[in-house]
């Protein structure tokens, strides 16, 4: 369904991750798939993940309503690019 990788050069609070999903970038399907994937990875409801900016771009800023401990553990466990 999707893959998430961590960039080597970012701190956790501004982590850059690469997300790949199989959904087409058609009518927001890929954006929804990205939010769903990240919600599953963070074990939070998908309604708590939103795209803050970049909905029509390959590069997005995403906000997840999760504790810093959960986010840091998730990012720390990602394979590095």
């Amino acid at each position: 369904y999707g893959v998430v990788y961590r960039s080597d050069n970012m701190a956790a609070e501004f982590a850059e991750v690469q997300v790949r999903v199989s959904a087409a970038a058609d009518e927001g399907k890929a954006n929804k798939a990205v939010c769903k994937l990240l919600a599953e990875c963070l074990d939070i409801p998908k309604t708590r993940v939103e795209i803050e900016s970049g909905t029509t771009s390959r590069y997005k800023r995403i906000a997840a309503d999760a504790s810093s401990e959960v986010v840091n553990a998730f990012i720390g466990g990602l394979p590095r690019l």
Side-chain angles (χ1 to χ4, degrees), residues 4-78:
V4 183
Y5 294 99
R6 177 183 177 186
S7 174
D8 250 349
N9 59 352
M10 301 296 283
E13 62 268 12
F14 299 107
E16 179 180 310
V17 296
Q18 181 178 17
V19 179
R20 295 183 184 178
V21 294
S22 58
D26 179 41
E27 297 181 13
K29 291 177 186 173
N31 288 338
K32 288 178 187 173
V34 167
C35 290
K36 181 179 177 185
L37 174 62
L38 292 175
E40 288 173 1
C41 291
L42 294 168
D43 196 29
I44 59 175
K46 62 184 174 184
T47 56
R48 291 176 46 192
V49 178
E50 67 179 335
I51 298 176
E52 289 187 331
S53 64
T55 57
T56 60
S57 171
R58 292 181 62 181
Y59 302 99
K60 304 175 185 316
R61 181 176 299 237
I62 298 175
D65 184 12
S67 71
S68 59
E69 292 85 10
V70 169
V71 173
N72 288 337
F74 164 67
I75 292 170
L78 291 174

